[in-house]
Amino acid sequence: MTVLRRVFFTAVALVSLFLGGVVCLMCQVLAGRDAPTYRVEGQVVSHERGALPVAGDEDTQSHTIAVDAGERQFHVTAVGPGLDLPLGQPVTLDVSTADGTIAYLRAGGSVVDLRPGVVRPVLLIVASLLALGAVYFGAVRLNVYPPVATWLALALGALLAPVAVFLRV
């Protein structure tokens, strides 16, 4: 029975680590999405079109442009007509201070939002928290391991999760 309890404690701690890591990573994605930006002006120096099959639709076009911003060159890819820009077109990029990705591209009077969506990270956060709650409800309800040790496993997983996300384990 002692071996079973040790295995169970380890399993609860590892599941906590994994689910806590998913929550931390998705929170990091959401924070990066809405991070402050700085503006960079440049012009389009190359433009490529390519077919990108999306959901079985073979006619979807992706556009990849390179923007020369003086000291740095940015490459932007998006699906749809928003980046169908001619060479030499002046553009303004809003670059995220968190990770250096491009949040918005402004060309003429149009603005292209290049940030990732919020639905997937929010759904992953909710699913992970529900799974974590189910693990602890089951662990305490089954009385396989004392509640104090189960909560210790939760605390261990919750403390190690941000470290694992930071180190990208």
Side-chain angles (χ1 to χ4, degrees), residues 42-44 86 88-92 106-108:
Q43 65 181 11
V44 177
Q89 168 81 33
V91 295
T92 303
R106 302 170 196 281

Side-chain angles (χ1 to χ4, degrees), residues 1-8 142-145:
M1 191 67 161
T2 304
V3 173
L4 179 64
R5 287 182 180 209
R6 284 187 181 154
V7 168
F8 183 76
L142 292 175
N143 289 326
V144 175
Y145 214 72

Side-chain angles (χ1 to χ4, degrees), residues 40-47 64-76 83 85-93 102 105-108:
V40 175
E41 294 182 3
Q43 65 181 11
V44 177
V45 293
S46 74
H47 180 198
T64 301
I65 63 170
V67 175
D68 183 19
E71 303 166 359
R72 186 170 172 200
Q73 193 169 46
F74 294 92
H75 295 277
V76 184
L83 292 183
L85 302 170
L87 296 179
Q89 168 81 33
V91 295
T92 303
L93 305 174
I102 300 170
L105 180 135
R106 302 170 196 281

Side-chain angles (χ1 to χ4, degrees), residues 58-69:
E58 299 294 328
D59 296 332
T60 304
Q61 289 287 316
S62 69
H63 297 275
T64 301
I65 63 170
V67 175
D68 183 19

Side-chain angles (χ1 to χ4, degrees), residues 13-38:
L14 289 175
V15 168
S16 300
L17 176 66
F18 175 75
L19 293 173
V22 169
V23 170
C24 290
L25 190 59
M26 291 303 106
C27 289
Q28 185 180 19
V29 167
L30 289 175
R33 180 186 190 280
D34 295 325
T37 60
Y38 62 93

Side-chain angles (χ1 to χ4, degrees), residues 75-153:
H75 295 277
V76 184
T77 301
V79 176
L83 292 183
D84 193 8
L85 302 170
L87 296 179
Q89 168 81 33
V91 295
T92 303
L93 305 174
D94 289 353
V95 182
S96 172
T97 57
D99 56 6
T101 59
I102 300 170
Y104 299 101
L105 180 135
R106 302 170 196 281
S110 65
V111 177
V112 180
D113 186 356
L114 299 168
R115 299 175 302 164
V118 297
V119 174
R120 185 172 291 151
V122 169
L123 287 177
L124 281 171
I125 289 170
V126 169
S128 295
L129 291 175
L130 286 174
L132 196 57
V135 165
Y136 287 105
F137 177 75
V140 171
R141 182 91 169 138
L142 292 175
N143 289 326
V144 175
Y145 214 72
V148 172
T150 303
W151 288 108
L152 180 64

